[in-house]
Amino acid sequence: MKDGVQRAAARSLLKSTGLSQDEIQKPWIAVVNSFTEIVPGHIHLKRIAKAVKEGVLIAGGLPFEFNTIAVCDGIAQGTKGMKYSLPSRDIIVDTIEIMIEAHGFDGMVLIPSCDKTVPAHLMAAARLNIPSIIVTGGPMLPGWHNGEEISLVEMREYIGKVRKGEITEQELLRIEELACPSVGSCSMLGTANTMAAITEALGMSLPGSASTHGVMADKMRIARNSGKQIMNLFRTQLLPQQIMTEKAFHNAITIDMAMGGSLNSVLHLTALAVELELDINLHMFDIISQKTPVLCSLKPAGSHSLWKLDRSGGIPALMFELNQNNCLLSNVVTVTGKTIQENLNQVSLHKIRDSIIQSFKTPVRGDGGIAVLYGNLAPKGAVIKQVAVEPEMMEHQGPARVFESLESALNALWEGTINSGEVMIVKYEGPVGGPGMREQHSITSLISGLEARIALVTDGRFSGSSRGAVIGHVTPEAAVGGPIGIVNEGDIIAYSIPKRRLEVLIDEDLLKTRLHAFKPKPQEIERNRSVLNKYRKLVQSTDKGALF
C-alpha cells in the first residue's frame, strides 16, 4: 500500500491529508467506530474512539478512524423499521471488510455497542483475521422511579399498565423521562450487554470492558489501553482465529448461560462460528445450559441492573466463580496476550463476595438461562429463555391463536381478544418471511404488563429484554414451509421446557396432509428495489445463524 516507487501516487494522496513520510511508514490501525447520533448506545463513541487513537499513537501506530452503520432496536421496535435490524449485521460485516481490504490495514480496534453491531464487529474480526481488539461502548446507568431501579424493561411494561388502567398516560410520560438516564446500551441484560459479555469471554476485549459503563472514566482507560494493546497484537501477530477457538466458544456459551443472557446470542454465536468455520450448533448450547447454573439475577429475568454487576467485579468476577468450579477452559489465549487463567489471577477476591454473583451452593437456578426445544412444530429447534419463565408456565398446553404478522398479534392483545391460557402463534416473522426476523418484544412486553398466562410461539425472535413463556427462532420458518405455517386456529399447542418439547397436538397423517397442501405466503415488501429483497434471497435459516 505504501512502499516502493509504484506506490508514490498513493503516498501523495495520503500526504494530502496532512501526514508526513515518517507517519505513513508506521503500522496502519483502523479504528472502526459505530458512532451515530440517533442510537443511545453509540452517541458517546467518539470519546471512546479518541482515547483508542491516543493509545495507538502512544504505542507507535498510525490510527485511521471510519464509521459503520447502527440500528437502534429499541426505537425500531414494533414497526417495519425492525425488519432492517438483523440485515444490518451482515451489511456491517461487509462494509468493514471493504474498508479494511481496500486500504490494507495492519490491524483494527473495533468499537461497537448495541445488538447487531457487537456481533457484526466480532464477525468482521473473524473473517478478516488481522490483529484485532474490541472495545464495547458499555451499558447506560439504570433509571430510578418510586425508590427502585428501572430500565427499558419496566418502561415497556408500563405500556400494558396503561392498557389495564393502572396508571395514566401522564404518569407514563413521566416514567419515559426516568427510565434511560444516560448514554450507553440499555441497562439490563439485553442482547447488547449479553454480546459484550460474550466478547469478553471469547477473549476479544480487555477484562472489565463489557460491564464498565459508558459514562465512566474507566471506559476511557480501557479504550486507551486497547489502543496500546493492538500494537502488541500487531507485533506478535496474535490473530482473532487463534483466540476465537472452539474452547473459547465453550467459555462464551458458559458465561451466556450463567448470566441468563439474551436468546439472540444463539443466533449471533452460530453466525460467528460459521465465519470461523467452527461446528457450533444448537445442541451444544443445550448441553452447556444443562450443566451450568445461573449465578446472576439480572434484569429482565431477575431484579439487578448491570450497574450492580459491574460494582461486584463484572465479567471477570463471574468468570472467576465459574473457573473455581471447573466450568471454564481457562488455558485459552486472549487479546491481553495472556490466558484466561492468567487474567483471572488478577481478579480481586473481595469484589466477588457479593450477592449479585451467587456461589454454586446457592445459584439462582440449577441449570442455564436458555433451553432448546424440539418437536413436530420445530423439527430443527426453537429456543426459550427459561430463566425468565414463571414456574407455572414451564409446561403448558392451550388452544392456538394464529397471526400472520407482529402487527395483527399486537392489535389482538391491545383489543383484549386474547384469553389467558391461549398460545399465540405468530408466523411469517422469520428471516425470509418478514423478511428480517423482527423482534416480538412489543408483544411480550404487553403480555407481561397485562400479567396474563399467555404463551407466544414464533419463527421471529425476541429482544434480549423479553421475559415470559415466549418461544422463538422456530425452525424451519413458515415462509419456507415449516410446520408453524400449518397451525390452525384452535389447534392445541403443548410445550415442556424440562422435556425440551414443542408440539402441535394433531394426528401425524393430518400434519403431513397439511404440509403437503401448504403454500407459504410471506409478508410483502413495499419496494421492488429494497435491501430486504436482497436479504430474503440470500439469508439462511435461523439454525444457521440467519447468515448470508
Side-chain angles (χ1 to χ4, degrees), residues 58-98:
I58 290 167
L62 179 64
F64 291 94
E65 181 180 354
F66 66 83
N67 282 80
T68 66
I69 61 171
V71 172
C72 180
D73 284 23
I75 295 172
Q77 194 68 247
T79 73
K80 68 178 183 180
M82 180 53 74
K83 294 184 178 185
Y84 291 87
S85 177
L86 187 56
S88 76
R89 182 194 68 183
D90 294 56
I91 291 170
I92 292 166
V93 181
D94 290 347
T95 60
I96 295 173
E97 177 188 352
I98 288 169

mmCIF file of all heavy atoms in Angstrom, residues 58-98:
data_model
loop_
_atom_site.group_PDB
_atom_site.id
_atom_site.type_symbol
_atom_site.label_atom_id
_atom_site.label_comp_id
_atom_site.label_asym_id
_atom_site.label_seq_id
_atom_site.Cartn_x
_atom_site.Cartn_y
_atom_site.Cartn_z
ATOM 1 N N ILE A 58 0.470 6.468 21.068
ATOM 2 C CA ILE A 58 1.459 6.282 22.140
ATOM 3 C C ILE A 58 2.310 5.046 21.876
ATOM 4 O O ILE A 58 3.524 5.037 22.111
ATOM 5 C CB ILE A 58 0.744 6.165 23.515
ATOM 6 C CG1 ILE A 58 0.151 7.522 23.929
ATOM 7 C CG2 ILE A 58 1.710 5.649 24.588
ATOM 8 C CD1 ILE A 58 -0.814 7.432 25.099
ATOM 9 N N ALA A 59 1.647 3.986 21.342
ATOM 10 C CA ALA A 59 2.340 2.713 21.139
ATOM 11 C C ALA A 59 3.020 2.601 19.779
ATOM 12 O O ALA A 59 3.548 1.543 19.432
ATOM 13 C CB ALA A 59 1.352 1.562 21.324
ATOM 14 N N GLY A 60 3.000 3.672 18.979
ATOM 15 C CA GLY A 60 3.772 3.684 17.748
ATOM 16 C C GLY A 60 3.028 3.346 16.484
ATOM 17 O O GLY A 60 3.651 3.113 15.431
ATOM 18 N N GLY A 61 1.700 3.357 16.515
ATOM 19 C CA GLY A 61 0.916 3.080 15.322
ATOM 20 C C GLY A 61 0.318 4.347 14.741
ATOM 21 O O GLY A 61 0.400 5.433 15.341
ATOM 22 N N LEU A 62 -0.306 4.227 13.557
ATOM 23 C CA LEU A 62 -0.985 5.342 12.913
ATOM 24 C C LEU A 62 -2.467 4.996 12.786
ATOM 25 O O LEU A 62 -2.843 4.124 11.999
ATOM 26 C CB LEU A 62 -0.393 5.608 11.525
ATOM 27 C CG LEU A 62 -1.041 6.744 10.716
ATOM 28 C CD1 LEU A 62 -0.827 8.087 11.412
ATOM 29 C CD2 LEU A 62 -0.469 6.786 9.304
ATOM 30 N N PRO A 63 -3.336 5.649 13.584
ATOM 31 C CA PRO A 63 -4.759 5.304 13.554
ATOM 32 C C PRO A 63 -5.518 6.043 12.458
ATOM 33 O O PRO A 63 -5.265 7.222 12.204
ATOM 34 C CB PRO A 63 -5.238 5.755 14.939
ATOM 35 C CG PRO A 63 -4.349 6.910 15.288
ATOM 36 C CD PRO A 63 -3.017 6.623 14.649
ATOM 37 N N PHE A 64 -6.430 5.333 11.807
ATOM 38 C CA PHE A 64 -7.368 5.924 10.855
ATOM 39 C C PHE A 64 -8.778 5.513 11.286
ATOM 40 O O PHE A 64 -9.082 4.321 11.340
ATOM 41 C CB PHE A 64 -7.136 5.406 9.429
ATOM 42 C CG PHE A 64 -5.862 5.865 8.792
ATOM 43 C CD1 PHE A 64 -4.710 5.074 8.865
ATOM 44 C CD2 PHE A 64 -5.807 7.063 8.101
ATOM 45 C CE1 PHE A 64 -3.533 5.483 8.259
ATOM 46 C CE2 PHE A 64 -4.632 7.481 7.488
ATOM 47 C CZ PHE A 64 -3.493 6.689 7.574
ATOM 48 N N GLU A 65 -9.624 6.485 11.558
ATOM 49 C CA GLU A 65 -10.993 6.179 12.003
ATOM 50 C C GLU A 65 -11.958 6.189 10.828
ATOM 51 O O GLU A 65 -11.900 7.046 9.955
ATOM 52 C CB GLU A 65 -11.431 7.226 13.037
ATOM 53 C CG GLU A 65 -12.826 6.987 13.593
ATOM 54 C CD GLU A 65 -13.235 8.049 14.613
ATOM 55 O OE1 GLU A 65 -12.373 8.913 14.959
ATOM 56 O OE2 GLU A 65 -14.392 8.033 15.061
ATOM 57 N N PHE A 66 -12.857 5.205 10.801
ATOM 58 C CA PHE A 66 -14.001 5.254 9.890
ATOM 59 C C PHE A 66 -15.224 4.681 10.601
ATOM 60 O O PHE A 66 -15.108 4.024 11.625
ATOM 61 C CB PHE A 66 -13.724 4.524 8.564
ATOM 62 C CG PHE A 66 -13.540 3.025 8.670
ATOM 63 C CD1 PHE A 66 -14.634 2.167 8.700
ATOM 64 C CD2 PHE A 66 -12.256 2.483 8.699
ATOM 65 C CE1 PHE A 66 -14.461 0.786 8.760
ATOM 66 C CE2 PHE A 66 -12.074 1.102 8.762
ATOM 67 C CZ PHE A 66 -13.181 0.249 8.793
ATOM 68 N N ASN A 67 -16.384 4.974 10.052
ATOM 69 C CA ASN A 67 -17.641 4.624 10.708
ATOM 70 C C ASN A 67 -18.379 3.484 10.014
ATOM 71 O O ASN A 67 -18.230 3.263 8.819
ATOM 72 C CB ASN A 67 -18.574 5.836 10.778
ATOM 73 C CG ASN A 67 -18.179 6.796 11.876
ATOM 74 O OD1 ASN A 67 -17.271 7.595 11.699
ATOM 75 N ND2 ASN A 67 -18.822 6.691 13.018
ATOM 76 N N THR A 68 -19.187 2.774 10.802
ATOM 77 C CA THR A 68 -20.143 1.806 10.265
ATOM 78 C C THR A 68 -21.546 2.221 10.706
ATOM 79 O O THR A 68 -21.706 3.091 11.566
ATOM 80 C CB THR A 68 -19.861 0.382 10.764
ATOM 81 O OG1 THR A 68 -20.099 0.325 12.181
ATOM 82 C CG2 THR A 68 -18.428 -0.029 10.494
ATOM 83 N N ILE A 69 -22.555 1.576 10.132
ATOM 84 C CA ILE A 69 -23.946 1.901 10.473
ATOM 85 C C ILE A 69 -24.362 1.220 11.764
ATOM 86 O O ILE A 69 -23.704 0.298 12.246
ATOM 87 C CB ILE A 69 -24.911 1.508 9.332
ATOM 88 C CG1 ILE A 69 -24.847 -0.014 9.074
ATOM 89 C CG2 ILE A 69 -24.592 2.294 8.074
ATOM 90 C CD1 ILE A 69 -25.916 -0.519 8.131
ATOM 91 N N ALA A 70 -25.469 1.671 12.333
ATOM 92 C CA ALA A 70 -26.022 1.054 13.537
ATOM 93 C C ALA A 70 -27.519 1.340 13.604
ATOM 94 O O ALA A 70 -27.948 2.464 13.377
ATOM 95 C CB ALA A 70 -25.333 1.595 14.781
ATOM 96 N N VAL A 71 -28.306 0.305 13.914
ATOM 97 C CA VAL A 71 -29.753 0.432 14.094
ATOM 98 C C VAL A 71 -30.070 0.339 15.581
ATOM 99 O O VAL A 71 -29.535 -0.523 16.281
ATOM 100 C CB VAL A 71 -30.500 -0.680 13.332
ATOM 101 C CG1 VAL A 71 -31.997 -0.674 13.675
ATOM 102 C CG2 VAL A 71 -30.303 -0.528 11.825
ATOM 103 N N CYS A 72 -30.931 1.210 16.084
ATOM 104 C CA CYS A 72 -31.409 1.106 17.467
ATOM 105 C C CYS A 72 -32.652 0.229 17.483
ATOM 106 O O CYS A 72 -33.728 0.651 17.034
ATOM 107 C CB CYS A 72 -31.725 2.480 18.051
ATOM 108 S SG CYS A 72 -32.320 2.382 19.771
ATOM 109 N N ASP A 73 -32.514 -0.990 17.990
ATOM 110 C CA ASP A 73 -33.656 -1.903 18.053
ATOM 111 C C ASP A 73 -34.791 -1.335 18.901
ATOM 112 O O ASP A 73 -35.960 -1.565 18.621
ATOM 113 C CB ASP A 73 -33.220 -3.245 18.647
ATOM 114 C CG ASP A 73 -32.438 -4.076 17.646
ATOM 115 O OD1 ASP A 73 -31.874 -3.487 16.710
ATOM 116 O OD2 ASP A 73 -32.391 -5.304 17.800
ATOM 117 N N GLY A 74 -34.416 -0.623 19.959
ATOM 118 C CA GLY A 74 -35.445 -0.078 20.848
ATOM 119 C C GLY A 74 -36.330 0.929 20.153
ATOM 120 O O GLY A 74 -37.551 0.954 20.370
ATOM 121 N N ILE A 75 -35.745 1.773 19.306
ATOM 122 C CA ILE A 75 -36.526 2.769 18.578
ATOM 123 C C ILE A 75 -37.326 2.104 17.461
ATOM 124 O O ILE A 75 -38.489 2.446 17.218
ATOM 125 C CB ILE A 75 -35.602 3.867 18.015
ATOM 126 C CG1 ILE A 75 -34.953 4.647 19.164
ATOM 127 C CG2 ILE A 75 -36.379 4.822 17.103
ATOM 128 C CD1 ILE A 75 -33.879 5.625 18.726
ATOM 129 N N ALA A 76 -36.718 1.134 16.776
ATOM 130 C CA ALA A 76 -37.386 0.456 15.654
ATOM 131 C C ALA A 76 -38.421 -0.555 16.122
ATOM 132 O O ALA A 76 -39.263 -0.995 15.323
ATOM 133 C CB ALA A 76 -36.346 -0.244 14.789
ATOM 134 N N GLN A 77 -38.405 -0.909 17.400
ATOM 135 C CA GLN A 77 -39.241 -1.968 17.951
ATOM 136 C C GLN A 77 -40.717 -1.804 17.585
ATOM 137 O O GLN A 77 -41.297 -0.741 17.728
ATOM 138 C CB GLN A 77 -39.112 -1.968 19.476
ATOM 139 C CG GLN A 77 -39.639 -3.185 20.168
ATOM 140 C CD GLN A 77 -38.809 -4.412 19.880
ATOM 141 O OE1 GLN A 77 -39.272 -5.323 19.236
ATOM 142 N NE2 GLN A 77 -37.565 -4.419 20.339
ATOM 143 N N GLY A 78 -41.322 -2.905 17.101
ATOM 144 C CA GLY A 78 -42.756 -2.914 16.834
ATOM 145 C C GLY A 78 -43.174 -2.234 15.546
ATOM 146 O O GLY A 78 -44.367 -2.058 15.297
ATOM 147 N N THR A 79 -42.210 -1.834 14.711
ATOM 148 C CA THR A 79 -42.516 -1.170 13.444
ATOM 149 C C THR A 79 -41.841 -1.925 12.297
ATOM 150 O O THR A 79 -41.045 -2.840 12.514
ATOM 151 C CB THR A 79 -42.003 0.280 13.437
ATOM 152 O OG1 THR A 79 -40.554 0.260 13.327
ATOM 153 C CG2 THR A 79 -42.393 1.008 14.714
ATOM 154 N N LYS A 80 -42.130 -1.494 11.070
ATOM 155 C CA LYS A 80 -41.463 -2.118 9.925
ATOM 156 C C LYS A 80 -39.959 -1.845 9.959
ATOM 157 O O LYS A 80 -39.172 -2.553 9.324
ATOM 158 C CB LYS A 80 -42.060 -1.622 8.614
ATOM 159 C CG LYS A 80 -41.792 -0.148 8.297
ATOM 160 C CD LYS A 80 -42.387 0.234 6.949
ATOM 161 C CE LYS A 80 -42.060 1.693 6.595
ATOM 162 N NZ LYS A 80 -42.639 2.081 5.283
ATOM 163 N N GLY A 81 -39.549 -0.802 10.698
ATOM 164 C CA GLY A 81 -38.133 -0.500 10.820
ATOM 165 C C GLY A 81 -37.330 -1.642 11.411
ATOM 166 O O GLY A 81 -36.141 -1.798 11.117
ATOM 167 N N MET A 82 -37.979 -2.473 12.242
ATOM 168 C CA MET A 82 -37.286 -3.601 12.853
ATOM 169 C C MET A 82 -36.867 -4.645 11.818
ATOM 170 O O MET A 82 -35.957 -5.444 12.059
ATOM 171 C CB MET A 82 -38.180 -4.220 13.938
ATOM 172 C CG MET A 82 -37.587 -5.417 14.659
ATOM 173 S SD MET A 82 -35.955 -5.164 15.365
ATOM 174 C CE MET A 82 -36.333 -4.139 16.763
ATOM 175 N N LYS A 83 -37.493 -4.640 10.641
ATOM 176 C CA LYS A 83 -37.101 -5.583 9.594
ATOM 177 C C LYS A 83 -35.668 -5.328 9.122
ATOM 178 O O LYS A 83 -35.044 -6.206 8.528
ATOM 179 C CB LYS A 83 -38.068 -5.492 8.409
ATOM 180 C CG LYS A 83 -39.484 -5.952 8.737
ATOM 181 C CD LYS A 83 -40.384 -5.936 7.500
ATOM 182 C CE LYS A 83 -41.778 -6.440 7.838
ATOM 183 N NZ LYS A 83 -42.632 -6.556 6.640
ATOM 184 N N TYR A 84 -35.163 -4.148 9.389
ATOM 185 C CA TYR A 84 -33.828 -3.780 8.911
ATOM 186 C C TYR A 84 -32.733 -4.057 9.934
ATOM 187 O O TYR A 84 -31.553 -3.946 9.616
ATOM 188 C CB TYR A 84 -33.803 -2.296 8.530
ATOM 189 C CG TYR A 84 -34.614 -1.994 7.296
ATOM 190 C CD1 TYR A 84 -35.969 -1.725 7.374
ATOM 191 C CD2 TYR A 84 -34.018 -1.991 6.032
ATOM 192 C CE1 TYR A 84 -36.725 -1.461 6.242
ATOM 193 C CE2 TYR A 84 -34.765 -1.725 4.888
ATOM 194 C CZ TYR A 84 -36.118 -1.471 4.999
ATOM 195 O OH TYR A 84 -36.854 -1.220 3.872
ATOM 196 N N SER A 85 -33.093 -4.426 11.136
ATOM 197 C CA SER A 85 -32.101 -4.572 12.198
ATOM 198 C C SER A 85 -31.174 -5.761 11.963
ATOM 199 O O SER A 85 -29.957 -5.605 11.897
ATOM 200 C CB SER A 85 -32.794 -4.707 13.556
ATOM 201 O OG SER A 85 -31.844 -4.906 14.577
ATOM 202 N N LEU A 86 -31.723 -6.961 11.853
ATOM 203 C CA LEU A 86 -30.872 -8.127 11.646
ATOM 204 C C LEU A 86 -30.110 -8.062 10.322
ATOM 205 O O LEU A 86 -28.918 -8.391 10.292
ATOM 206 C CB LEU A 86 -31.691 -9.416 11.745
ATOM 207 C CG LEU A 86 -30.885 -10.717 11.703
ATOM 208 C CD1 LEU A 86 -29.806 -10.759 12.779
ATOM 209 C CD2 LEU A 86 -31.810 -11.929 11.831
ATOM 210 N N PRO A 87 -30.737 -7.637 9.206
ATOM 211 C CA PRO A 87 -29.955 -7.481 7.977
ATOM 212 C C PRO A 87 -28.758 -6.543 8.135
ATOM 213 O O PRO A 87 -27.742 -6.723 7.458
ATOM 214 C CB PRO A 87 -30.975 -6.907 6.979
ATOM 215 C CG PRO A 87 -32.281 -7.449 7.437
ATOM 216 C CD PRO A 87 -32.179 -7.462 8.943
ATOM 217 N N SER A 88 -28.868 -5.559 9.036
ATOM 218 C CA SER A 88 -27.753 -4.617 9.200
ATOM 219 C C SER A 88 -26.496 -5.318 9.697
ATOM 220 O O SER A 88 -25.377 -4.875 9.401
ATOM 221 C CB SER A 88 -28.144 -3.489 10.168
ATOM 222 O OG SER A 88 -28.124 -3.928 11.522
ATOM 223 N N ARG A 89 -26.663 -6.421 10.433
ATOM 224 C CA ARG A 89 -25.495 -7.136 10.979
ATOM 225 C C ARG A 89 -24.547 -7.571 9.860
ATOM 226 O O ARG A 89 -23.354 -7.292 9.888
ATOM 227 C CB ARG A 89 -25.961 -8.354 11.783
ATOM 228 C CG ARG A 89 -24.841 -9.145 12.436
ATOM 229 C CD ARG A 89 -25.319 -10.507 12.923
ATOM 230 N NE ARG A 89 -25.659 -11.379 11.801
ATOM 231 C CZ ARG A 89 -26.168 -12.606 11.949
ATOM 232 N NH1 ARG A 89 -26.403 -13.096 13.157
ATOM 233 N NH2 ARG A 89 -26.444 -13.342 10.885
ATOM 234 N N ASP A 90 -25.098 -8.261 8.863
ATOM 235 C CA ASP A 90 -24.257 -8.796 7.788
ATOM 236 C C ASP A 90 -23.740 -7.694 6.873
ATOM 237 O O ASP A 90 -22.637 -7.806 6.320
ATOM 238 C CB ASP A 90 -25.040 -9.844 7.005
ATOM 239 C CG ASP A 90 -25.356 -11.063 7.859
ATOM 240 O OD1 ASP A 90 -25.972 -10.908 8.934
ATOM 241 O OD2 ASP A 90 -24.963 -12.170 7.473
ATOM 242 N N ILE A 91 -24.531 -6.628 6.748
ATOM 243 C CA ILE A 91 -24.077 -5.493 5.937
ATOM 244 C C ILE A 91 -22.909 -4.783 6.626
ATOM 245 O O ILE A 91 -21.944 -4.361 5.970
ATOM 246 C CB ILE A 91 -25.255 -4.531 5.670
ATOM 247 C CG1 ILE A 91 -26.257 -5.199 4.727
ATOM 248 C CG2 ILE A 91 -24.774 -3.199 5.081
ATOM 249 C CD1 ILE A 91 -27.566 -4.458 4.571
ATOM 250 N N ILE A 92 -22.970 -4.651 7.945
ATOM 251 C CA ILE A 92 -21.861 -4.054 8.694
ATOM 252 C C ILE A 92 -20.583 -4.855 8.469
ATOM 253 O O ILE A 92 -19.509 -4.292 8.223
ATOM 254 C CB ILE A 92 -22.190 -3.971 10.201
ATOM 255 C CG1 ILE A 92 -23.312 -2.958 10.466
ATOM 256 C CG2 ILE A 92 -20.944 -3.600 11.013
ATOM 257 C CD1 ILE A 92 -23.914 -3.057 11.851
ATOM 258 N N VAL A 93 -20.700 -6.186 8.549
ATOM 259 C CA VAL A 93 -19.526 -7.038 8.321
ATOM 260 C C VAL A 93 -18.938 -6.754 6.942
ATOM 261 O O VAL A 93 -17.720 -6.592 6.783
ATOM 262 C CB VAL A 93 -19.886 -8.533 8.449
ATOM 263 C CG1 VAL A 93 -18.642 -9.395 8.228
ATOM 264 C CG2 VAL A 93 -20.489 -8.835 9.814
ATOM 265 N N ASP A 94 -19.802 -6.684 5.934
ATOM 266 C CA ASP A 94 -19.327 -6.447 4.567
ATOM 267 C C ASP A 94 -18.654 -5.084 4.428
ATOM 268 O O ASP A 94 -17.627 -4.953 3.750
ATOM 269 C CB ASP A 94 -20.502 -6.546 3.579
ATOM 270 C CG ASP A 94 -21.025 -7.965 3.427
ATOM 271 O OD1 ASP A 94 -20.344 -8.908 3.888
ATOM 272 O OD2 ASP A 94 -22.113 -8.143 2.845
ATOM 273 N N THR A 95 -19.213 -4.061 5.080
ATOM 274 C CA THR A 95 -18.618 -2.726 4.957
ATOM 275 C C THR A 95 -17.245 -2.666 5.624
ATOM 276 O O THR A 95 -16.331 -1.996 5.132
ATOM 277 C CB THR A 95 -19.533 -1.639 5.550
ATOM 278 O OG1 THR A 95 -19.765 -1.909 6.940
ATOM 279 C CG2 THR A 95 -20.869 -1.577 4.827
ATOM 280 N N ILE A 96 -17.106 -3.360 6.750
ATOM 281 C CA ILE A 96 -15.798 -3.393 7.407
ATOM 282 C C ILE A 96 -14.789 -4.120 6.514
ATOM 283 O O ILE A 96 -13.651 -3.665 6.338
ATOM 284 C CB ILE A 96 -15.887 -4.056 8.798
ATOM 285 C CG1 ILE A 96 -16.764 -3.219 9.740
ATOM 286 C CG2 ILE A 96 -14.487 -4.232 9.405
ATOM 287 C CD1 ILE A 96 -17.053 -3.872 11.076
ATOM 288 N N GLU A 97 -15.200 -5.238 5.932
ATOM 289 C CA GLU A 97 -14.316 -5.956 5.016
ATOM 290 C C GLU A 97 -13.864 -5.048 3.861
ATOM 291 O O GLU A 97 -12.671 -5.016 3.505
ATOM 292 C CB GLU A 97 -15.021 -7.188 4.444
ATOM 293 C CG GLU A 97 -14.161 -7.940 3.431
ATOM 294 C CD GLU A 97 -14.905 -9.052 2.708
ATOM 295 O OE1 GLU A 97 -16.052 -9.359 3.073
ATOM 296 O OE2 GLU A 97 -14.329 -9.613 1.749
ATOM 297 N N ILE A 98 -14.813 -4.323 3.282
ATOM 298 C CA ILE A 98 -14.493 -3.438 2.159
ATOM 299 C C ILE A 98 -13.439 -2.411 2.560
ATOM 300 O O ILE A 98 -12.434 -2.212 1.873
ATOM 301 C CB ILE A 98 -15.773 -2.743 1.641
ATOM 302 C CG1 ILE A 98 -16.648 -3.756 0.896
ATOM 303 C CG2 ILE A 98 -15.427 -1.568 0.714
ATOM 304 C CD1 ILE A 98 -18.051 -3.237 0.590
#
